[in-house]
Amino acid sequence: MSDTGTTHEFQAETKKLLDIVINSLYTERDIFIRELISNSSDALEKMRHESLIRENVFDENVPLEVNIDLDEDKHTITITDTGVGMTRDELETNLGTIAHSGSGKFVAELADAARKDVSLIGQFGVGFYAAFMAGEKVIVQSRSWDGSEGNEWVSDGGGSFTIKECPGLHRGTRIIIELKDDAHDYSRKWKVESIIKQYSTFVPFPIKLEGETVNTVQAIWTRSKNEITDEEYNDFYKFIGNATDDPHYRLHFSVDAPLAINAVLFVPKENFEAMGFGRVEPGVNLYCQRVLIDQHSENILPEWLRFLKGVVDSEDLPLNISRQSLQDNALVMKLRKVITKRFLKFLAEEAKRDSDYYLDFWNTFGIYIKEGVTSDYEFQKELAQLVRFESSRSEDGKPTSLAEYVERMGDGQEEIYYINGPTREAIEAGPYVEMFNKKGVEIIYTMEPIDDFVLNHLGEFDGRKLVSADRADLDLSKSGAADSDDDSTDKLAEDAGGELISWLKKNLEDKVADVIESKRLVDSPAMIVNPDGFMTSSMERIMSASRMEKGLATEASKKNLEINLASPLIKQLAELVKNDESFAAEVAAQIYDNAMIQAGLVVDPMVMVERNYKILTRAVGG
Ligand code: ADP
Ligand code: MG
């Protein structure tokens, strides 16, 4: 039966991707060679793994390698590998659609990056379709390791491709690229060799350019540390991380017990997730005796370390382990624990060695450390050493560690205090820090929405409870500062104070849980505190926002209002209640709203403004 071939349309997202690749990425053309070699390398890794776990592999004894051949006269470059190859169905799916989950989003992000800065493209791994950067026609001949007949895939990068039978192939894949007129350089040896040296030195299989091996195949992580130069490490990082710059940190370590591990881990300089390019995929590959078991492994490190790039190799893993069984494999879990602890210890050492350099890391990747605290109890103790916050004692922009806070604590201070606010200025102008400043007790400023969750999850540090300063039951006697006996200040007489408080309770009944005399306000007339010891105002704000997003009712829990009986406003209010109770009620409602705003909580702005005008009118004598 002769096969005249079938024609297939590219998936819509693929068409868009092709359009970007062909029209926008002109300056990044060289990477098509990297992408194709990387696919060959993937296919060879899979082959190496398959041949370990299966019998009857087609072309079993063909050596695992990549061959690149050039034809300067016909202007072609041909890349051949002896990897797993593809069946007809696989050709159709793999080279017609985009494998990425959420491919629509992926293409949109890519288009965005292409507009902003094409040099970011490397991060995306455009994949096979990069071949059309340089090729006007691309031919893929492939035969699967299952031994089924080979096929040929052909396309000019327009809307469609064809597939037909192609007898007589060996196992693996051959990609023939007929180069565009302005891309003939890619059929010249010097050009192709320099690109391989730049991007593909660390491919773990021989790459033969016109028969000559151009890379060194030894795995860098198995070599001894003092033989490896910084440049080699950096090049390796660029290779596995698709990066164009050097890493921020690098950790190369080997251990024998409790498991044999060789690992090289890198922290990048940039956080692409924060730059708006979507969630980063895990960047550490799992090997066993130099055989790739799990690329971009989700299992070898916790999710919150997904920003790391690198390699973990352990001889203790069974070579024939399947990818599916990694997830709940006890050995993998043990590896994960050992490596994570080792890496966190490394970060703690680096923070000590050069704290400013660590702060650069913290500013870029601190969000992942926080994610770790809130999602992974297992490493909480180590993570607690790594978090940094600003405080009333830290310099602006130079956050402090919890350990440093504890070191500075005065005698008798039993708790660590914190308060959330949008900025340092806002916190320092607010009511919550007044007593801390007066007593000279340090207080941490949590300025990111997630921070209160982080400290809440930690619960304590070094045996000291972490306490939010907006708690109703805050007990400043645990702050260690001397009780400044302030009853001498000119405050409202006890019975008048009591009366005012009962009046306020009645008046604000539907808004507050309780009204109490404040023991900690110095200048401000009032503040909101949380009777629920678990929730802080900042946490409540986030949770009600997320309920709102989901279209759920947002019923804020009632707060306590603390009032300062020494404040002139409160004293005058007690008088006003006697003379003009209905106007006093307006003032009370306004004091409550002001306190809510200072707590970062929501009030009804329309009602508030209208009332405010009423009060102002009185103030100007209206
Ligand atoms: P990715 O490598 O990120 O999966 P690509 O676009 O580079 O995406 O490749 C798409 C798919 O095509 C691969 O996942 C693989 O299944 C298949 N493929 C590409 N090149 C080869 C090859 N040389 N040998 C075998 N399969 C290949
Ligand atoms: Mg690829």
Side-chain angles (χ1 to χ4, degrees):
M1 190 186 80
S2 90
D3 182 4
T4 51
T6 50
T7 303
H8 308 260
E9 284 282 302
F10 284 113
Q11 170 207 36
E13 296 305 341
T14 313
K15 281 186 196 167
K16 281 188 209 152
L17 176 61
L18 278 166
D19 183 61
I20 298 168
V21 163
I22 293 168
N23 297 310
S24 317
L25 305 184
Y26 181 84
T27 54
E28 301 299 308
R29 257 184 183 175
D30 287 2
I31 65 168
F32 89 89
I33 293 182
R34 178 190 74 182
E35 291 293 338
L36 297 180
I37 291 179
S38 137
N39 282 351
S40 289
S41 175
D42 292 349
L44 289 162
E45 298 270 20
K46 283 182 205 155
M47 195 60 239
R48 181 145 71 182
H49 194 206
E50 291 297 340
S51 59
L52 285 167
I53 57 180
R54 288 176 209 276
E55 281 163 20
N56 302 325
V57 167
F58 174 65
D59 267 352
E60 177 118 46
N61 298 318
V62 174
L64 298 175
E65 61 187 31
V66 184
N67 278 283
I68 301 180
D69 296 292
L70 308 171
D71 190 326
E72 280 200 53
D73 301 327
K74 291 193 183 130
H75 313 296
T76 61
I77 172 170
T78 302
I79 300 176
T80 310
D81 66 65
T82 52
V84 282
M86 284 175 273
T87 62
R88 188 175 182 126
D89 282 350
E90 285 169 341
L91 272 174
E92 188 180 330
T93 331
N94 297 346
L95 308 187
T97 58
I98 301 169
H100 269 266
S101 58
S103 57
K105 197 160 156 274
F106 169 76
V107 174
E109 283 164 2
L110 180 73
D112 202 38
R115 258 193 310 276
K116 282 187 198 140
D117 180 0
V118 282
S119 69
L120 294 173
I121 290 302
Q123 289 292 324
F124 284 86
V126 194
F128 166 76
Y129 303 102
F132 290 98
M133 286 172 157
E136 57 184 14
K137 185 172 172 191
V138 176
I139 300 158
V140 181
Q141 299 172 339
S142 195
R143 186 167 188 187
S144 167
W145 62 273
D146 70 6
S148 57
E149 271 310 322
N151 292 282
E152 182 177 272
W153 178 107
V154 182
S155 178
D156 61 5
S160 64
F161 57 90
T162 60
I163 302 183
K164 64 170 190 220
E165 274 174 18
C166 183
L169 297 177
H170 271 297
R171 186 197 69 220
T173 302
R174 168 176 297 132
I175 301 183
I176 305 155
I177 297 174
E178 297 181 4
L179 295 163
K180 294 179 184 174
D181 286 344
D182 58 357
H184 286 176
D185 268 0
Y186 296 110
S187 62
R188 287 181 235 280
K189 192 174 177 190
W190 63 267
K191 175 79 176 173
V192 176
E193 184 166 357
S194 80
I195 296 172
I196 297 172
K197 291 229 154 98
Q198 187 182 352
Y199 292 117
S200 306
T201 324
F202 295 96
V203 168
F205 300 93
I207 302 173
K208 295 182 174 164
L209 180 58
E210 315 236 78
E212 223 178 279
T213 304
V214 285
N215 61 331
T216 47
V217 181
Q218 199 187 4
I220 191 169
W221 60 91
T222 61
R223 289 166 52 195
S224 101
K225 270 202 270 191
N226 45 25
E227 296 177 350
I228 307 171
T229 64
D230 286 347
E231 202 187 346
E232 277 179 291
Y233 276 122
N234 291 348
D235 285 346
F236 180 61
Y237 164 71
K238 287 174 191 161
F239 168 69
I240 50 155
N242 273 357
T244 47
D245 52 0
D246 292 340
H248 186 78
Y249 283 136
R250 139 187 121 215
L251 169 64
H252 183 179
F253 71 96
S254 308
V255 289
D256 298 320
L259 291 157
I261 303 170
N262 267 312
V264 186
L265 301 175
F266 297 98
V267 175
K269 276 208 172 74
E270 309 276 9
N271 175 7
F272 281 86
E273 207 165 294
M275 291 165 80
F277 293 125
R279 196 177 171 81
V280 296
E281 296 193 355
V284 175
N285 300 334
L286 177 61
Y287 285 78
C288 170
Q289 295 171 40
R290 268 151 282 166
V291 178
L292 182 64
I293 307 274
D294 195 17
Q295 190 166 31
H296 302 153
S297 180
E298 310 238 352
N299 306 297
I300 195 60
L301 287 171
E303 218 181 320
W304 46 270
L305 284 178
R306 61 187 176 279
F307 63 94
L308 290 184
K309 311 279 184 198
V311 166
V312 169
D313 194 330
S314 175
E315 289 173 19
D316 290 329
L317 283 174
L319 257 176
N320 58 359
I321 192 168
S322 78
R323 233 178 253 193
Q324 292 75 8
S325 65
L326 286 170
Q327 202 178 349
D328 40 30
N329 181 286
L331 219 51
V332 175
M333 284 193 253
K334 205 160 162 193
L335 266 175
R336 188 183 106 124
K337 183 167 182 161
V338 173
I339 295 162
T340 304
K341 292 229 163 170
R342 181 66 186 82
F343 178 69
L344 295 180
K345 182 172 154 235
F346 165 79
L347 284 182
E349 287 163 359
E350 285 299 312
K352 253 191 216 124
R353 194 181 58 82
D354 186 340
S355 58
D356 282 345
Y357 196 66
Y358 177 76
L359 279 186
D360 290 341
F361 161 80
W362 173 254
N363 289 331
T364 313
F365 294 102
I367 184 74
Y368 296 92
I369 301 295
K370 292 176 184 176
E371 186 183 321
V373 174
T374 57
S375 64
D376 211 338
Y377 184 76
E378 194 178 356
F379 306 104
Q380 223 165 56
K381 241 179 127 167
E382 290 81 0
L383 287 166
Q385 298 290 339
L386 298 172
V387 294
R388 296 289 182 272
F389 297 102
E390 299 214 12
S391 85
S392 53
R393 296 268 173 86
S394 76
E395 245 175 89
D396 194 9
K398 290 239 178 221
T400 181
S401 69
L402 295 175
E404 287 161 341
Y405 178 106
V406 168
E407 252 167 56
R408 284 190 294 263
M409 281 183 2
D411 287 345
Q413 182 175 347
E414 294 168 34
E415 299 180 326
I416 299 172
Y417 302 102
Y418 64 95
I419 187 66
N420 184 268
T423 60
R424 175 176 274 270
E425 290 71 26
I427 293 172
E428 291 181 343
Y432 298 97
V433 297
E434 287 177 0
M435 188 53 80
F436 290 91
N437 289 342
K438 192 168 170 196
K439 288 181 181 276
V441 174
E442 180 170 3
I443 177 166
I444 287 169
Y445 301 161
T446 57
M447 294 186 290
E448 296 296 332
I450 190 186
D451 287 349
D452 282 15
F453 289 93
V454 170
L455 293 175
N456 204 293
H457 269 87
L458 285 180
E460 59 157 58
F461 178 82
D462 200 10
R464 274 91 171 174
K465 237 168 107 178
L466 290 153
V467 177
S468 174
D470 66 3
R471 281 176 67 142
D473 61 356
L474 184 75
D475 177 4
L476 278 173
S477 71
K478 292 189 176 159
S479 71
D483 247 344
S484 45
D485 206 355
D486 272 358
D487 275 0
S488 58
T489 51
D490 187 18
K491 73 177 197 189
L492 212 53
E494 208 175 305
D495 48 344
E499 258 171 56
L500 178 65
I501 286 173
S502 338
W503 179 83
L504 280 169
K505 261 189 221 175
K506 204 164 68 222
N507 245 274
L508 298 171
E509 203 171 35
D510 3 318
K511 294 180 171 168
V512 301
D514 204 359
V515 180
I516 33 183
E517 177 186 346
S518 182
K519 302 255 190 296
R520 48 176 147 152
L521 283 171
V522 180
D523 297 315
S524 299
M527 72 178 177
I528 291 291
V529 294
N530 285 283
D532 173 355
F534 168 76
M535 190 77 91
T536 71
S537 296
S538 140
M539 289 163 73
E540 173 145 337
R541 195 164 62 236
I542 296 168
M543 291 169 90
S544 76
S546 94
R547 283 177 69 81
M548 219 134 82
E549 237 165 60
K550 291 179 193 133
L552 299 168
T554 65
E555 202 179 301
S557 60
K558 282 188 185 171
K559 314 284 180 193
N560 287 358
L561 184 68
E562 277 197 10
I563 58 164
N564 178 1
L565 293 182
S567 145
L569 175 60
I570 297 297
K571 287 196 282 189
Q572 287 297 115
L573 180 62
E575 286 304 305
L576 191 62
V577 174
K578 289 179 207 147
N579 305 328
D580 185 348
E581 193 176 348
S582 81
F583 186 62
E586 305 273 11
V587 173
Q590 188 65 38
I591 290 174
Y592 167 79
D593 273 6
N594 288 359
M596 286 289 280
I597 291 170
Q598 284 185 308
L601 294 166
V602 228
V603 299
D604 183 334
M606 290 308 166
V607 175
M608 202 276 269
V609 168
E610 202 182 303
R611 186 196 312 115
N612 191 260
Y613 276 136
K614 234 188 260 175
I615 297 170
L616 286 175
T617 308
R618 273 280 282 260
V620 297

